[in-house]
Coordinates of all heavy atoms in Angstrom, one line a residue:
M356 N -16.2 -2.7 -2.3 CA -14.8 -3.0 -1.9 C -14.8 -3.7 -0.6 O -15.6 -3.3 0.3 CB -14.0 -1.7 -1.8 CG -13.5 -1.2 -3.2 SD -12.2 0.0 -3.0 CE -13.2 1.5 -2.9
D357 N -13.9 -4.7 -0.4 CA -13.8 -5.3 0.9 C -12.9 -4.5 1.8 O -12.3 -3.5 1.4 CB -13.4 -6.7 0.8 CG -11.9 -6.9 0.3 OD1 -11.2 -5.9 0.2 OD2 -11.5 -8.0 0.0
R358 N -12.8 -4.9 3.1 CA -12.1 -4.2 4.1 C -10.6 -4.0 3.7 O -10.1 -2.9 3.9 CB -12.2 -4.9 5.4 CG -11.4 -4.3 6.5 CD -11.3 -5.3 7.7 NE -10.3 -4.9 8.7 CZ -9.0 -4.9 8.6 NH1 -8.5 -5.1 7.4 NH2 -8.2 -4.6 9.6
T359 N -10.0 -5.0 3.2 CA -8.6 -4.9 2.8 C -8.4 -3.9 1.7 O -7.5 -3.1 1.7 CB -8.0 -6.3 2.4 OG1 -8.2 -7.2 3.5 CG2 -6.5 -6.2 2.1
T360 N -9.2 -4.0 0.7 CA -9.1 -3.1 -0.5 C -9.3 -1.6 0.0 O -8.6 -0.7 -0.4 CB -10.2 -3.4 -1.5 OG1 -10.0 -4.8 -1.9 CG2 -10.0 -2.5 -2.8
I361 N -10.3 -1.4 0.9 CA -10.5 0.0 1.4 C -9.3 0.4 2.2 O -8.9 1.6 2.1 CB -11.8 0.0 2.3 CG1 -13.0 -0.2 1.3 CG2 -11.9 1.3 3.0 CD1 -14.3 -0.5 2.1
L362 N -8.7 -0.4 3.0 CA -7.6 -0.1 3.8 C -6.4 0.3 2.9 O -5.7 1.3 3.1 CB -7.2 -1.3 4.7 CG -6.0 -1.1 5.6 CD1 -6.2 0.1 6.6 CD2 -5.7 -2.4 6.4
V363 N -6.1 -0.5 1.9 CA -5.0 -0.2 1.0 C -5.3 1.1 0.2 O -4.4 2.0 0.1 CB -4.8 -1.3 0.0 CG1 -3.7 -0.9 -1.1 CG2 -4.3 -2.6 0.7
Y364 N -6.5 1.3 -0.3 CA -6.9 2.5 -1.0 C -6.7 3.8 -0.1 O -6.1 4.8 -0.5 CB -8.4 2.5 -1.4 CG -8.8 3.7 -2.1 CD1 -8.5 4.0 -3.5 CD2 -9.5 4.7 -1.4 CE1 -8.9 5.1 -4.1 CE2 -9.9 5.9 -2.0 CZ -9.6 6.1 -3.4 OH -10.0 7.3 -4.0
D365 N -7.2 3.7 1.2 CA -7.0 4.8 2.1 C -5.6 5.1 2.4 O -5.1 6.2 2.5 CB -7.8 4.5 3.4 CG -9.3 4.6 3.3 OD1 -9.8 5.1 2.2 OD2 -10.0 4.1 4.2
T366 N -4.7 4.0 2.5 CA -3.3 4.2 2.7 C -2.7 4.9 1.5 O -1.9 5.9 1.7 CB -2.6 2.8 2.9 OG1 -3.2 2.2 4.1 CG2 -1.1 3.0 3.1
L367 N -3.0 4.5 0.3 CA -2.5 5.2 -0.9 C -2.9 6.7 -0.9 O -2.1 7.5 -1.2 CB -3.0 4.5 -2.2 CG -2.4 3.1 -2.4 CD1 -3.2 2.4 -3.6 CD2 -0.9 3.1 -2.6
M368 N -4.1 6.9 -0.6 CA -4.6 8.3 -0.6 C -3.8 9.1 0.5 O -3.5 10.3 0.3 CB -6.1 8.4 -0.3 CG -6.9 7.8 -1.5 SD -6.5 8.3 -3.1 CE -7.0 10.0 -3.0
D369 N -3.6 8.5 1.7 CA -2.9 9.2 2.8 C -1.5 9.5 2.3 O -0.9 10.5 2.6 CB -2.9 8.3 4.0 CG -4.2 8.3 4.8 OD1 -5.1 9.2 4.4 OD2 -4.4 7.5 5.6
L370 N -0.8 8.5 1.6 CA 0.6 8.7 1.2 C 0.6 9.9 0.2 O 1.6 10.6 0.2 CB 1.1 7.4 0.6 CG 1.4 6.3 1.6 CD1 1.8 5.0 0.9 CD2 2.5 6.7 2.6
T371 N -0.4 10.0 -0.7 CA -0.3 11.0 -1.7 C -0.7 12.4 -1.1 O -0.3 13.4 -1.8 CB -1.2 10.7 -2.9 OG1 -2.6 10.6 -2.4 CG2 -0.8 9.4 -3.6
S372 N -1.3 12.4 0.0 CA -1.8 13.7 0.5 C -1.1 14.2 1.8 O -1.4 15.3 2.3 CB -3.3 13.7 0.8 OG -3.6 12.7 1.7
N373 N -0.2 13.4 2.4 CA 0.5 13.8 3.6 C 1.9 14.1 3.4 O 2.5 13.6 2.4 CB 0.4 12.7 4.7 CG -1.0 12.7 5.4 OD1 -1.2 13.5 6.3 ND2 -1.9 11.8 5.0
A374 N 2.5 14.8 4.3 CA 3.9 15.2 4.2 C 4.8 13.9 4.3 O 4.4 13.0 5.0 CB 4.3 16.1 5.3
P375 N 5.9 13.9 3.6 CA 6.8 12.7 3.7 C 7.2 12.3 5.1 O 7.4 11.1 5.3 CB 8.0 13.1 2.9 CG 7.5 14.2 2.0 CD 6.4 14.9 2.7
E376 N 7.2 13.2 6.0 CA 7.6 12.8 7.4 C 6.6 11.8 8.0 O 6.9 11.2 9.0 CB 7.7 14.1 8.3 CG 8.7 15.1 7.9 CD 8.2 16.0 6.7 OE1 7.0 16.3 6.6 OE2 9.1 16.4 5.9
R377 N 5.4 11.8 7.5 CA 4.3 10.9 8.0 C 4.3 9.6 7.3 O 3.6 8.7 7.8 CB 3.0 11.6 8.0 CG 2.9 12.8 8.8 CD 1.5 13.3 9.1 NE 0.4 12.4 8.9 CZ 0.0 11.6 9.9 NH1 0.5 11.6 11.1 NH2 -1.1 10.8 9.7
H378 N 4.9 9.4 6.2 CA 4.8 8.2 5.4 C 5.2 6.9 6.1 O 4.5 5.9 5.9 CB 5.6 8.4 4.1 CG 5.0 9.4 3.2 ND1 5.3 9.6 1.9 CD2 4.0 10.3 3.4 CE1 4.6 10.5 1.3 NE2 3.8 11.0 2.2
A379 N 6.3 6.9 6.8 CA 6.7 5.7 7.5 C 5.6 5.2 8.5 O 5.3 4.0 8.5 CB 8.0 5.9 8.2
K380 N 5.0 6.1 9.2 CA 3.9 5.8 10.1 C 2.7 5.2 9.4 O 2.1 4.3 9.8 CB 3.6 7.0 11.0 CG 2.6 6.6 12.1 CD 2.3 7.8 13.0 CE 1.4 7.4 14.1 NZ 1.2 8.5 15.0
I381 N 2.4 5.9 8.3 CA 1.2 5.5 7.4 C 1.4 4.0 6.9 O 0.6 3.2 7.0 CB 1.0 6.4 6.3 CG1 0.5 7.8 6.8 CG2 0.0 5.9 5.3 CD1 0.5 8.9 5.8
R382 N 2.6 3.8 6.4 CA 3.0 2.4 5.9 C 2.9 1.4 7.0 O 2.4 0.3 6.8 CB 4.3 2.4 5.2 CG 4.4 3.2 3.9 CD 5.7 3.0 3.1 NE 6.8 3.3 3.9 CZ 7.5 4.5 3.9 NH1 7.0 5.5 3.1 NH2 8.5 4.7 4.6
Q383 N 3.5 1.7 8.1 CA 3.6 0.8 9.2 C 2.2 0.4 9.7 O 1.9 -0.7 10.1 CB 4.4 1.3 10.4 CG 4.7 0.3 11.5 CD 5.4 -0.9 10.9 OE1 6.5 -0.8 10.3 NE2 4.9 -2.1 11.2
N384 N 1.3 1.4 9.7 CA -0.1 1.2 10.1 C -0.7 0.1 9.2 O -1.4 -0.8 9.7 CB -0.9 2.5 10.1 CG -2.3 2.3 10.6 OD1 -2.6 1.7 11.6 ND2 -3.2 2.8 9.8
L385 N -0.5 0.2 7.9 CA -1.0 -0.7 6.9 C -0.4 -2.1 7.2 O -1.2 -3.1 7.3 CB -0.7 -0.3 5.5 CG -1.1 -1.3 4.4 CD1 -2.6 -1.4 4.3 CD2 -0.5 -0.9 3.1
Y386 N 0.9 -2.2 7.4 CA 1.5 -3.5 7.7 C 0.9 -4.1 8.9 O 0.6 -5.3 9.0 CB 3.0 -3.4 7.8 CG 3.8 -2.8 6.7 CD1 4.9 -2.0 6.9 CD2 3.4 -3.0 5.3 CE1 5.6 -1.5 5.8 CE2 4.1 -2.5 4.3 CZ 5.2 -1.8 4.5 OH 5.9 -1.2 3.5
D387 N 0.8 -3.3 9.9 CA 0.2 -3.8 11.2 C -1.2 -4.4 11.1 O -1.5 -5.4 11.6 CB 0.3 -2.8 12.3 CG 1.7 -2.4 12.7 OD1 2.7 -3.2 12.4 OD2 1.9 -1.4 13.4
Q388 N -2.0 -3.6 10.4 CA -3.4 -4.0 10.2 C -3.6 -5.2 9.4 O -4.5 -6.1 9.6 CB -4.3 -2.9 9.7 CG -4.4 -1.7 10.7 CD -5.4 -0.7 10.2 OE1 -6.6 -1.1 9.9 NE2 -5.0 0.5 10.1
L389 N -2.7 -5.4 8.4 CA -2.8 -6.6 7.5 C -2.0 -7.8 8.0 O -2.2 -8.9 7.5 CB -2.3 -6.2 6.1 CG -3.1 -5.2 5.3 CD1 -2.5 -4.9 4.0 CD2 -4.6 -5.7 5.2
N390 N -1.2 -7.5 9.0 CA -0.3 -8.6 9.6 C 0.4 -9.4 8.5 O 0.3 -10.6 8.4 CB -1.2 -9.5 10.4 CG -0.4 -10.4 11.3 OD1 0.7 -10.1 11.7 ND2 -0.9 -11.6 11.6
L391 N 1.1 -8.6 7.6 CA 1.8 -9.2 6.5 C 3.1 -9.8 6.9 O 3.8 -9.1 7.7 CB 2.0 -8.2 5.4 CG 0.7 -7.6 4.7 CD1 1.1 -6.5 3.7 CD2 0.0 -8.7 3.9
P392 N 3.5 -10.9 6.3 CA 4.9 -11.3 6.5 C 5.9 -10.3 5.8 O 5.5 -9.6 4.9 CB 4.9 -12.7 5.8 CG 3.8 -12.7 4.9 CD 2.8 -11.7 5.4
F393 N 7.1 -10.4 6.3 CA 8.1 -9.4 5.9 C 8.3 -9.3 4.4 O 8.4 -8.3 3.8 CB 9.4 -9.6 6.7 CG 10.4 -8.5 6.4 CD1 10.2 -7.2 6.9 CD2 11.6 -8.8 5.7 CE1 11.1 -6.2 6.7 CE2 12.5 -7.8 5.5 CZ 12.3 -6.5 5.9
N394 N 8.4 -10.5 3.8 CA 8.6 -10.5 2.3 C 7.5 -9.8 1.6 O 7.7 -9.1 0.5 CB 8.9 -11.9 1.8 CG 7.7 -12.8 1.9 OD1 6.9 -12.7 2.9 ND2 7.5 -13.7 1.0
K395 N 6.3 -10.0 2.0 CA 5.2 -9.3 1.4 C 5.2 -7.8 1.7 O 4.8 -7.0 0.8 CB 3.8 -9.8 1.8 CG 3.5 -11.2 1.1 CD 2.1 -11.5 1.2 CE 1.8 -12.8 0.4 NZ 0.4 -12.9 0.1
Q396 N 5.6 -7.4 2.8 CA 5.8 -6.0 3.1 C 6.8 -5.4 2.2 O 6.6 -4.3 1.6 CB 6.3 -5.8 4.6 CG 5.3 -6.1 5.6 CD 5.8 -5.9 7.0 OE1 6.7 -5.1 7.3 NE2 5.3 -6.6 8.0
L397 N 7.9 -6.1 1.9 CA 9.0 -5.5 1.0 C 8.4 -5.4 -0.4 O 8.7 -4.4 -1.1 CB 10.2 -6.5 1.0 CG 11.1 -6.5 2.3 CD1 12.2 -7.5 2.1 CD2 11.6 -5.1 2.5
T398 N 7.7 -6.4 -0.9 CA 7.2 -6.4 -2.2 C 6.1 -5.3 -2.3 O 6.2 -4.5 -3.3 CB 6.5 -7.7 -2.6 OG1 7.5 -8.8 -2.4 CG2 6.0 -7.7 -4.0
L399 N 5.3 -5.1 -1.4 CA 4.3 -4.1 -1.4 C 4.9 -2.7 -1.4 O 4.5 -1.8 -2.1 CB 3.3 -4.3 -0.2 CG 2.0 -3.5 -0.2 CD1 1.2 -3.9 -1.4 CD2 1.3 -3.7 1.1
Y400 N 6.0 -2.6 -0.6 CA 6.7 -1.3 -0.5 C 7.3 -1.0 -1.9 O 7.1 0.1 -2.4 CB 7.8 -1.3 0.6 CG 8.6 0.0 0.6 CD1 8.0 1.1 1.2 CD2 9.8 0.0 0.0 CE1 8.7 2.3 1.1 CE2 10.5 1.2 -0.1 CZ 10.0 2.4 0.5 OH 10.7 3.5 0.5
A401 N 8.0 -1.9 -2.4 CA 8.8 -1.7 -3.7 C 7.8 -1.4 -4.8 O 8.1 -0.5 -5.7 CB 9.7 -2.9 -4.0
Q402 N 6.7 -2.1 -4.9 CA 5.9 -2.0 -6.1 C 4.8 -1.0 -6.0 O 4.3 -0.5 -7.0 CB 5.3 -3.4 -6.4 CG 6.3 -4.4 -6.8 CD 5.7 -5.8 -7.2 OE1 4.5 -5.9 -7.3 NE2 6.5 -6.8 -7.4
V403 N 4.4 -0.7 -4.7 CA 3.2 0.2 -4.6 C 3.4 1.4 -3.7 O 3.2 2.5 -4.1 CB 2.0 -0.6 -4.1 CG1 0.8 0.2 -3.8 CG2 1.7 -1.8 -5.0
L404 N 3.9 1.1 -2.5 CA 4.0 2.2 -1.5 C 5.1 3.2 -1.7 O 4.9 4.4 -1.5 CB 4.1 1.6 -0.1 CG 2.9 0.6 0.3 CD1 3.2 0.0 1.7 CD2 1.6 1.4 0.3
A405 N 6.2 2.8 -2.2 CA 7.3 3.7 -2.5 C 6.9 4.6 -3.7 O 7.1 5.9 -3.6 CB 8.6 3.0 -2.8
P406 N 6.3 4.1 -4.8 CA 5.8 5.0 -5.8 C 4.8 6.0 -5.3 O 4.8 7.2 -5.7 CB 5.3 4.1 -6.9 CG 6.0 2.8 -6.7 CD 6.2 2.7 -5.2
A407 N 3.9 5.6 -4.4 CA 2.9 6.5 -3.8 C 3.6 7.6 -3.0 O 3.3 8.7 -3.1 CB 1.9 5.7 -3.0
S408 N 4.6 7.2 -2.2 CA 5.3 8.1 -1.4 C 6.1 9.1 -2.2 O 6.3 10.2 -1.7 CB 6.3 7.4 -0.4 OG 5.5 6.7 0.6
S409 N 6.6 8.7 -3.3 CA 7.4 9.6 -4.1 C 6.6 10.5 -5.1 O 7.2 11.2 -5.9 CB 8.5 8.8 -4.9 OG 7.8 8.0 -5.8
G410 N 5.3 10.4 -5.0 CA 4.5 11.3 -5.8 C 4.2 10.8 -7.3 O 3.8 11.5 -8.1
K411 N 4.5 9.5 -7.5 CA 4.3 9.0 -8.9 C 2.9 8.6 -9.2 O 2.6 8.3 -10.3 CB 5.3 7.8 -9.1 CG 6.7 8.2 -9.1 CD 7.6 7.1 -9.4 CE 9.0 7.6 -9.4 NZ 10.0 6.5 -9.7
L412 N 2.0 8.6 -8.2 CA 0.6 8.3 -8.5 C -0.1 9.7 -8.6 O -0.4 10.3 -7.7 CB 0.0 7.5 -7.3 CG 0.7 6.2 -6.9 CD1 -0.1 5.5 -5.8 CD2 0.9 5.3 -8.1
E413 N -0.3 10.0 -9.9 CA -0.7 11.4 -10.2 C -2.2 11.5 -10.4 O -2.8 12.6 -10.3 CB 0.0 11.9 -11.4 CG 1.5 12.0 -11.1 CD 2.3 12.5 -12.3 OE1 1.7 12.7 -13.4 OE2 3.5 12.8 -12.1
D414 N -2.9 10.4 -10.8 CA -4.3 10.6 -11.1 C -5.0 9.3 -10.7 O -4.4 8.3 -10.2 CB -4.6 10.9 -12.5 CG -4.0 9.9 -13.5 OD1 -4.0 8.7 -13.2 OD2 -3.6 10.3 -14.6
S415 N -6.3 9.2 -10.9 CA -7.1 8.1 -10.4 C -6.7 6.8 -11.1 O -6.8 5.7 -10.5 CB -8.6 8.4 -10.6 OG -9.0 8.5 -11.9
S416 N -6.3 6.9 -12.3 CA -5.9 5.6 -13.0 C -4.6 5.1 -12.4 O -4.5 3.8 -12.3 CB -5.8 5.8 -14.5 OG -4.7 6.7 -14.8
D417 N -3.7 5.9 -12.0 CA -2.5 5.5 -11.3 C -2.9 4.8 -9.9 O -2.3 3.8 -9.6 CB -1.5 6.7 -11.0 CG -0.9 7.2 -12.3 OD1 -0.9 6.5 -13.3 OD2 -0.5 8.4 -12.3
I418 N -3.8 5.4 -9.2 CA -4.2 4.9 -7.9 C -4.9 3.5 -8.1 O -4.6 2.6 -7.4 CB -5.2 5.9 -7.2 CG1 -4.5 7.2 -6.9 CG2 -5.8 5.2 -6.0 CD1 -3.6 7.1 -5.7
D419 N -5.8 3.4 -9.1 CA -6.4 2.2 -9.4 C -5.4 1.1 -9.8 O -5.6 -0.1 -9.3 CB -7.4 2.3 -10.6 CG -8.6 3.1 -10.2 OD1 -8.9 3.3 -8.9 OD2 -9.4 3.6 -11.1
N420 N -4.4 1.4 -10.6 CA -3.4 0.4 -11.0 C -2.6 0.0 -9.8 O -2.3 -1.2 -9.6 CB -2.5 1.0 -12.0 CG -1.5 0.0 -12.6 OD1 -1.9 -1.1 -12.8 ND2 -0.3 0.5 -12.7
A421 N -2.2 1.0 -8.9 CA -1.4 0.6 -7.7 C -2.3 -0.3 -6.8 O -1.8 -1.2 -6.2 CB -1.0 1.9 -7.0
L422 N -3.6 0.0 -6.7 CA -4.5 -0.8 -5.8 C -4.5 -2.2 -6.4 O -4.5 -3.2 -5.6 CB -5.8 -0.1 -5.8 CG -6.9 -0.8 -4.9 CD1 -6.4 -0.8 -3.4 CD2 -8.2 0.0 -5.0
S423 N -4.6 -2.4 -7.7 CA -4.7 -3.7 -8.3 C -3.4 -4.5 -8.0 O -3.4 -5.7 -7.6 CB -4.9 -3.6 -9.8 OG -6.1 -3.1 -10.1
I424 N -2.3 -3.8 -8.1 CA -1.0 -4.5 -7.8 C -0.9 -4.9 -6.4 O -0.5 -6.0 -6.0 CB 0.2 -3.5 -8.2 CG1 0.3 -3.3 -9.7 CG2 1.5 -4.1 -7.7 CD1 1.2 -2.2 -10.2
A425 N -1.3 -3.9 -5.5 CA -1.3 -4.2 -4.1 C -2.1 -5.4 -3.7 O -1.7 -6.3 -2.9 CB -1.7 -3.0 -3.3
M426 N -3.3 -5.5 -4.3 CA -4.2 -6.6 -3.9 C -3.6 -7.9 -4.5 O -3.7 -9.0 -3.8 CB -5.6 -6.4 -4.5 CG -6.3 -5.2 -3.8 SD -6.2 -5.1 -2.0 CE -7.1 -6.6 -1.6
R427 N -3.0 -7.9 -5.6 CA -2.3 -9.2 -6.1 C -1.2 -9.6 -5.1 O -1.1 -10.8 -4.8 CB -1.7 -8.9 -7.5 CG -2.8 -9.1 -8.6 CD -2.1 -9.3 -10.0 NE -1.2 -8.2 -10.3 CZ -1.6 -7.1 -10.9 NH1 -2.8 -6.9 -11.3 NH2 -0.7 -6.2 -11.2
V428 N -0.4 -8.7 -4.7 CA 0.7 -9.0 -3.7 C 0.1 -9.6 -2.5 O 0.5 -10.6 -2.0 CB 1.5 -7.7 -3.4 CG1 2.4 -8.0 -2.2 CG2 2.3 -7.3 -4.6
I429 N -0.9 -8.9 -1.9 CA -1.5 -9.4 -0.7 C -2.2 -10.7 -0.8 O -2.1 -11.6 0.1 CB -2.5 -8.3 -0.1 CG1 -1.8 -7.0 0.2 CG2 -3.4 -8.8 1.0 CD1 -2.7 -5.8 0.4
E430 N -2.9 -10.9 -1.9 CA -3.7 -12.2 -2.1 C -2.9 -13.4 -2.6 O -3.4 -14.5 -2.6 CB -4.9 -11.9 -3.0 CG -5.9 -10.9 -2.3 CD -7.0 -10.4 -3.2 OE1 -6.9 -10.6 -4.5 OE2 -7.9 -9.7 -2.7
T431 N -1.7 -13.1 -3.1 CA -0.9 -14.2 -3.6 C -0.5 -15.1 -2.5 O 0.2 -14.6 -1.6 CB 0.3 -13.7 -4.4 OG1 -0.2 -12.9 -5.5 CG2 1.1 -14.9 -5.0
P432 N -0.8 -16.4 -2.6 CA -0.3 -17.3 -1.5 C 1.2 -17.4 -1.5 O 1.8 -17.3 -2.5 CB -1.0 -18.7 -1.9 CG -1.9 -18.4 -3.0 CD -1.6 -17.1 -3.6
E433 N 1.7 -17.6 -0.3 CA 3.1 -17.8 -0.1 C 3.5 -19.2 -0.4 O 2.7 -20.1 -0.1 CB 3.5 -17.4 1.3 CG 3.4 -15.9 1.5 CD 4.1 -15.5 2.8 OE1 5.4 -15.5 2.8 OE2 3.4 -15.4 3.8
H434 N 4.7 -19.4 -0.9 CA 5.1 -20.8 -1.1 C 6.0 -21.3 0.0 O 6.8 -20.7 0.6 CB 5.9 -20.9 -2.5 CG 5.1 -20.4 -3.6 ND1 3.9 -20.8 -3.9 CD2 5.4 -19.4 -4.5 CE1 3.4 -20.2 -5.0 NE2 4.3 -19.3 -5.4

């Protein structure tokens, strides 16, 4: 895994294992490290980070799927 993939994976794991009060800080740390434009932050939040924060990633296949979605969002060029 490359650095970005590891960072996203670690963020997903942190969101699933930490109290909701910490989630905003965890997400902001990811955004800051990736230096994502706001529209990508919104897409990443809606498609990946919010489900992780709400407990919808229940097993390793859910995490893997979320990671794949996140990487597509991050790697898709902006128009």
Side-chain angles (χ1 to χ4, degrees):
M356 282 195 272
D357 68 11
R358 177 193 166 295
T359 302
T360 305
I361 292 168
L362 180 61
V363 173
Y364 177 82
D365 289 347
T366 299
L367 292 172
M368 297 309 294
D369 286 347
L370 289 171
T371 61
S372 64
N373 278 281
E376 299 82 32
R377 295 196 24 87
H378 289 191
K380 185 175 183 176
I381 292 168
R382 290 189 305 266
Q383 189 60 52
N384 183 50
L385 176 68
Y386 300 147
D387 291 346
Q388 290 190 55
L389 294 178
N390 196 28
L391 293 174
F393 187 67
N394 64 326
K395 284 197 177 201
Q396 290 180 28
L397 289 176
T398 303
L399 195 60
Y400 177 78
Q402 294 184 8
V403 178
L404 301 176
S408 288
S409 65
K411 293 185 178 176
L412 305 183
E413 297 177 354
D414 58 34
S415 62
S416 66
D417 292 338
I418 297 285
D419 290 344
N420 186 42
L422 184 58
S423 294
I424 293 168
M426 296 313 295
R427 276 195 305 270
V428 169
I429 293 166
E430 293 171 350
T431 300
E433 291 192 77
H434 303 307

